[in-house]
Amino acid sequence: MARKSKKGEKQEMEMVRIYIMGKEYKVPAGLTIMKAMEYAGYRYIRGAGCRAGFCGACATVYRKEGDYKLHADLACQTTVEDGMWLVQLPFTPANKAIYDMDKIEADDKTLVNFYPEIARCVSCNTCTKACPQELDVMDYIQASLRGDIAKAAELSFDCIQCGLCAMRCPAEIAHYHVAQLARRLYGKYIAPKARHLEERVKEIEEGKFDEEMKKMMKMSVTQLRKLYNARDIEPEED
Amino acid sequence: MAYPKEFEKSIRKVEETREERLKKLPERMKEKEKDELLKKWHPDYKPEAKRKLKVGVSKGSIVPNEVADIIEAYPLIKPDEIDLSQVDYEADVLIIGGGGAGTAAALYAYYEGIKPENIIIATKLRHGDSNTIMAQGGIQAADKPNDSPLIHYLDVIGGGHFANKPDLVARLVMDAPLIIKWHEELGVMYDKKPDGEMITIHGGGTSRKRMHSAKDYTGMEIMRVIRDEARNVGIKVLEFSPAIELLTDGNGRVAGALLYNLETEQYYVVRAKATIMATGGFGRLHIQGFPTTNHYGATADGLVMAYRVGAKLRDMDSVQYHPTGVAYPEQIVGLLVTEKVRSLGGQPVNVDGEQFVHPLEPRDVEAAAIIRECYGRNKGVVTPTGMRGVWLDSPMIDMIHGEGTIERRLGAMFRMFSRFGIDMRQEPILVFPTLHYQNGGIEIDADARVLGKNGTIEALFAAGEVEGGVHGKNRLMGNSLLDTQVFGRIAGINAARYAKKARKPRSLSLEHVNKYVQELKKARIKEERKAPLLLPDYRGKEVLSRAIDIL
């Protein structure tokens, strides 16, 4: 079966060579690694998730010709380059600590107690260099070690848990699990509580809106439309 | 600048009109104007893009062609070839789908007293791979003093064109603050002021600022926290094992599901006292050829399976196109540009830098206005691949809220565009509507029980994007994350209550699949399509034309 090409539609697509797990393929320049692998004939089971940089399913490592460096990126967010040798990371084995959030405290030893291996950090910064989100991974591990939960939570907030840091770490730390605990401790114990939220939940539980809600649920479309079109809209300005 | 040269003139015009535009927004449209705009320009109003279903409970109802294609399709398996006598997994509660709804359901089934080892989440990809994790903008809840669930109710039902099921909307808005409270207790890091007050903003179609967020990673933050909690309590998760059919007890009660291990190609029989469908939506069907914001697994498997067992569908005729998908660069075309960009003051403007719509109309109206601007008035920007788009004037955000706002509150967006050489603090971004959300779905009642022809289908529940009725014909921003959590919780609680009283199903059957096949044949539907789809196929055409299946 020959390639279907319409007459006169001579496309001069610029092609680049990439090596998927060592095998050479020619793919159109400008594609992401993910789309290039599909173009080459791969149908993903592992290695593709949200396809938009939010889920960490497509962690990829690659080397470029003439460059000793091992690069780490997301396949869905990185454009192919000529002479790229790549492989995707299908899974990261990393032990997660088990904890009961209601029974633990947010003190300066909590993180190191659950993840004592963070004390093995040699400050090599490899995790930071491997992070496709460009987070200061080593800094949040150091903050965790110091017991600075707020700092660890803040620095790690954009973590998509792809596992590249954990795969590269010579101290065998599972950074993203440490960060998950730090953020939950921060959210639960350190961030101030929203009082208006508590108040509203109480009102709802006391049935404050029940009567009115029942009435509204019975309204005709005409009545609802009238109310809807007459809504006052809270001004945009803060 | 990473933009092609031909964009320069237009960008300069956007810059020139910026000061003026800061002072004034276009008026919001009146109802009549909206109706006319939608009828003429919204993709939902193209009759040739839809057709009537020929089979099943909702025979005669109108759905997009792509949905009809998978509903009017033959099963992946031949029931006679499946051995149901050997049960691989027993569960009190089986949850199909590992996104936000499925995970919330699992946790609430556990809170309700089901042992974690008797709860199974079966998911097609990894636990958490879902549209939930990609939700950027936020989650609505009426928890401020100037707001109330009643006002939220009105926004939801008006935004949905009054087609929503009132009892579902009432649950959505009444349970919303409770969900946010639950999240706060689990440790979700919502954006807050120093005194703990939630930072809330408007979304399209809201009359109060009730959009709660965790930067522009709201869904990811919620998802990773509830997943972490599911792991802590020990919920059993079967990854890369999608359900391919539901099972019944032969008497109409749903009794579990048949799973398929995508990697070993083996099937598993799961017998369950109660089953929850939480498979998400249909973005990867690429309705009308639109690109999509959805995750890789969004192929509407749950619709197909539930329909075969007798679930009704509703509001499937309407599809949500998010007004602002990426139109440039090519690598990320169709990906979501969160509505929060407009909530924070980014204005849509045309090729000449002119405003043409209020930035915060409901999504269908906003999308239709952008399509009209590009194709009706010819005022779009044409990209090198021939796509059209309008500018979203992102630099206005830092002008309004101060320098650093984009990086702080739109970190994911800023990072995505930076990766492709575009600095959205300095330059506007180019957008066009993209396929975003399945407004309708399987019909449920306010207890998340799935409805069939004669009332509820025993032992089957549904939550999240797979179900319909909550959002009517158009969902508002921030109500889908909310839907996953509210109805996930309700489904989890009710499935657990049901399972506690129910006996194990005595027998397992796929007879409903045989019946469905007979109906397909009777309707003279050719055996050329199979469903559920499980995964889209994006392999290159050349490869496919020479692929053979011999292993």
Side-chain angles (χ1 to χ4, degrees):
Chain A
M1 274 172 274
R3 190 184 343 181
K4 281 181 204 161
S5 60
K6 285 176 199 158
K7 270 180 209 164
E9 200 191 284
K10 242 190 190 173
Q11 284 181 334
E12 297 242 340
M13 223 189 308
E14 191 198 335
M15 306 294 272
V16 296
R17 290 164 306 128
I18 60 167
Y19 300 84
I20 301 168
M21 292 176 279
K23 282 159 82 179
E24 182 183 327
Y25 295 91
K26 286 197 177 62
V27 298
L31 295 183
T32 58
I33 292 174
M34 181 168 285
K35 288 181 181 173
M37 280 184 67
E38 288 174 328
Y39 177 88
Y42 284 80
R43 190 176 185 188
Y44 284 105
I45 294 176
R46 287 182 188 264
C50 75
R51 306 175 69 102
F54 286 86
C55 81
C58 64
T60 303
V61 291
Y62 59 90
R63 277 198 166 88
K64 298 188 245 182
E65 281 169 349
D67 178 3
Y68 68 90
K69 213 172 140 46
L70 184 69
H71 297 267
D73 265 313
L74 299 176
C76 73
Q77 298 285 301
T78 309
T79 310
V80 286
E81 289 173 50
D82 193 51
M84 217 179 212
W85 293 70
L86 62 92
V87 64
Q88 281 190 294
L89 201 65
F91 179 75
T92 305
N95 299 334
K96 189 193 105 64
I98 300 299
Y99 35 82
D100 181 340
M101 286 301 292
D102 290 328
K103 293 195 180 130
I104 61 176
E105 280 170 38
D107 65 37
D108 55 1
K109 288 281 177 287
T110 313
L111 294 173
V112 76
N113 281 346
F114 278 105
Y115 293 101
E117 62 273 22
I118 59 176
R120 303 182 67 222
C121 173
V122 293
S123 305
C124 68
N125 214 29
T126 306
C127 51
T128 302
K129 286 189 223 159
C131 180
Q133 294 285 84
E134 297 178 336
L135 304 184
D136 292 321
V137 186
M138 187 189 78
D139 291 356
Y140 82 63
I141 289 299
Q142 289 296 329
S144 303
L145 196 50
R146 289 196 307 274
D148 191 345
I149 294 170
K151 194 79 192 163
E154 181 205 327
L155 290 177
S156 73
F157 189 83
D158 295 3
C159 170
I160 54 170
Q161 309 186 324
C162 67
L164 279 164
C165 50
M167 289 301 264
R168 296 284 283 133
C169 177
E172 290 146 317
I173 295 166
H175 314 65
Y176 61 100
H177 284 326
V178 182
Q180 180 66 70
L181 176 55
R183 287 190 305 272
R184 289 192 65 184
L185 287 167
Y186 181 84
K188 185 174 174 68
Y189 292 113
I190 300 173
K193 290 268 176 280
R195 277 187 307 247
H196 59 92
L197 174 62
E198 205 156 327
E199 197 59 36
R200 181 52 45 83
V201 170
K202 217 173 105 201
E203 287 173 350
I204 289 171
E205 283 169 354
E206 285 167 356
K208 185 179 169 184
F209 306 101
D210 292 356
E211 252 340 84
E212 292 266 358
M213 187 58 84
K214 266 188 211 144
K215 265 192 232 160
M216 219 160 191
M217 284 166 68
K218 283 189 196 133
M219 278 184 194
S220 68
V221 171
T222 322
Q223 283 171 301
L224 282 168
R225 180 167 279 143
K226 214 168 141 192
L227 281 180
Y228 181 74
N229 288 333
R231 291 173 308 160
D232 64 302
I233 294 179
E234 186 178 352
E236 311 282 345
E237 305 80 51
D238 283 324
Chain B
M1 183 163 85
Y3 282 125
K5 268 220 152 51
E6 57 262 39
F7 286 10
E8 266 173 37
K9 205 171 111 197
S10 175
I11 291 176
R12 216 166 301 130
K13 282 183 185 168
V14 175
E15 287 166 352
E16 280 162 14
T17 56
R18 201 170 277 150
E19 281 296 332
E20 247 344 272
R21 285 186 286 107
L22 264 176
K23 294 176 201 152
K24 205 167 160 261
L25 281 174
E27 295 231 351
R28 284 174 199 259
M29 275 178 235
K30 297 278 182 297
E31 201 180 346
K32 212 176 138 207
E33 278 177 272
K34 284 186 198 169
D35 285 347
E36 281 166 13
L37 173 70
L38 288 174
K39 277 202 187 100
K40 187 129 191 245
W41 293 104
H42 195 276
D44 266 358
Y45 293 79
K46 273 191 196 158
E48 69 275 18
K50 299 179 198 181
R51 67 174 194 257
K52 277 186 187 165
L53 287 178
K54 288 186 195 149
V55 291
V57 201
S58 297
K59 189 170 156 178
S61 60
I62 294 175
V63 305
N65 289 328
E66 295 80 358
V67 173
D69 283 349
I70 58 162
I71 293 287
E72 295 167 358
Y74 284 78
L76 296 169
I77 48 134
K78 292 207 166 43
D80 316 344
E81 292 171 6
I82 304 293
D83 173 17
L84 295 174
S85 67
Q86 188 197 321
V87 174
D88 298 282
Y89 296 97
E90 295 276 2
D92 284 347
V93 178
L94 167 66
I95 298 153
I96 304 172
T103 308
L107 285 170
Y108 274 94
Y110 164 75
Y111 298 152
E112 200 60 29
I114 305 291
K115 288 190 185 132
E117 62 269 27
N118 295 332
I119 302 170
I120 294 177
I121 294 178
T123 186
K124 182 161 55 184
L125 301 171
R126 303 170 311 159
H127 187 191
D129 283 342
S130 57
N131 287 341
T132 298
I133 210 166
M134 313 174 71
Q136 299 167 19
I139 179 165
Q140 289 200 40
D143 61 9
K144 293 278 178 86
N146 74 338
D147 198 0
S148 88
L150 302 160
I151 306 176
H152 190 180
Y153 182 94
L154 206 54
D155 286 348
V156 175
I157 216 153
H161 302 288
F162 307 96
N164 325 45
K165 275 182 90 167
D167 53 345
L168 300 186
V169 182
R171 287 305 297 260
L172 183 80
V173 299
M174 291 288 267
D175 289 359
L178 195 147
I179 286 295
I180 307 289
K181 187 93 189 77
W182 175 54
H183 287 164
E184 197 185 45
E185 280 161 13
L186 287 175
V188 170
M189 284 175 59
Y190 279 113
D191 295 333
K192 288 178 175 179
K193 293 180 183 167
D195 67 352
E197 187 192 335
M198 293 278 181
I199 297 172
T200 53
I201 58 175
H202 269 303
T206 58
S207 63
R208 294 291 182 278
K209 294 182 183 175
R210 71 169 80 85
M211 198 67 58
H212 300 60
S213 55
K215 297 171 68 174
D216 54 350
Y217 283 111
T218 313
M220 180 179 81
E221 169 62 355
I222 292 170
M223 189 68 239
R224 65 191 177 186
V225 167
I226 61 176
R227 178 177 55 199
D228 190 59
E229 191 60 9
R231 287 171 179 167
N232 279 343
V233 306
I235 308 286
K236 196 188 288 177
V237 182
L238 302 174
E239 295 188 324
F240 297 98
S241 299
I244 51 173
E245 290 296 350
L246 288 171
L247 300 172
T248 74
D249 68 349
N251 285 313
R253 173 187 167 190
V254 170
L258 194 66
L259 311 183
Y260 176 73
N261 183 328
L262 285 172
E263 291 166 319
T264 64
E265 304 184 340
Q266 177 194 356
Y267 66 82
Y268 301 125
V269 176
V270 186
R271 174 161 56 194
K273 290 180 183 170
T275 303
I276 300 172
M277 195 59 94
T279 47
F282 66 13
R284 292 279 157 191
L285 300 184
H286 297 288
I287 311 290
Q288 294 190 43
F290 271 82
T292 184
T293 60
N294 285 195
H295 84 111
Y296 187 49
T299 51
D301 305 346
L303 286 185
V304 173
M305 288 184 273
Y307 197 67
R308 286 178 185 165
V309 86
K312 281 199 286 189
L313 301 179
R314 60 168 293 152
D315 300 320
M316 286 300 298
D317 55 329
S318 88
V319 175
Q320 181 162 89
Y321 299 88
H322 194 287
T324 58
V326 175
Y328 188 89
E330 175 64 18
Q331 290 96 330
I332 50 172
V333 161
L335 296 193
L336 181 65
V337 174
T338 173
E339 191 158 319
K340 203 169 168 186
V341 173
R342 281 175 289 134
S343 296
L344 289 169
Q347 295 175 0
V349 292
N350 66 22
V351 67
D352 294 323
E354 300 158 343
Q355 298 170 329
F356 58 91
V357 64
H358 189 283
L360 291 176
E361 293 286 6
R363 282 192 173 158
D364 48 356
V365 175
E366 194 82 18
I370 293 172
I371 295 172
R372 177 177 66 185
E373 202 64 16
C374 290
Y375 290 92
R377 298 173 173 164
N378 228 354
K379 289 272 202 172
V381 178
V382 183
T383 75
T385 57
M387 204 176 155
R388 295 186 198 188
V390 298
W391 294 112
L392 193 50
D393 198 9
S394 48
M396 299 184 74
I397 295 168
D398 280 3
M399 290 168 78
I400 297 168
H401 301 280
E403 239 174 76
T405 306
I406 288 178
E407 282 170 271
R408 203 170 58 249
R409 296 181 68 181
L410 294 165
M413 284 295 91
F414 176 66
R415 177 177 286 117
M416 180 169 81
F417 281 100
S418 299
R419 278 173 174 147
F420 298 97
I422 293 163
D423 183 350
M424 67 183 280
R425 297 169 304 183
Q426 311 289 333
E427 303 153 329
I429 52 187
L430 200 68
V431 296
F432 191 77
T434 178
L435 176 57
H436 191 52
Y437 192 76
Q438 176 185 304
N439 288 322
I442 305 168
E443 183 161 353
I444 56 167
D445 68 10
D447 292 325
R449 294 180 296 193
V450 173
L451 298 176
K453 198 164 63 179
N454 309 309
T456 56
I457 294 176
E458 195 180 346
L460 183 62
F461 303 80
E465 195 170 347
V466 73
E467 35 83 356
V470 180
H471 310 289
K473 304 284 185 201
N474 176 52
R475 174 183 64 82
L476 300 185
M477 169 195 185
N479 281 341
S480 57
L481 273 181
L482 182 59
D483 180 343
T484 66
Q485 300 299 286
V486 165
F487 288 96
R489 170 179 172 273
I490 294 171
I493 291 171
N494 288 315
R497 286 181 185 163
Y498 176 87
K500 279 197 277 187
K501 282 191 280 183
R503 288 202 185 145
K504 250 189 223 173
R506 287 228 177 104
S507 55
L508 296 176
S509 161
L510 281 163
E511 198 40 42
H512 65 285
V513 178
N514 285 328
K515 276 192 193 145
Y516 194 78
V517 168
Q518 281 163 17
E519 210 184 331
L520 289 169
K521 286 188 175 154
K522 221 170 113 190
R524 291 166 196 274
I525 290 160
K526 284 190 194 138
E527 272 194 78
E528 49 190 15
R529 288 186 304 262
K530 285 187 178 180
L533 290 183
L534 302 179
L535 293 173
D537 195 347
Y538 297 128
R539 286 177 290 175
K541 284 192 186 74
E542 250 179 276
V543 174
L544 282 177
S545 73
R546 299 183 79 82
I548 46 176
D549 189 6
I550 51 170
L551 267 187

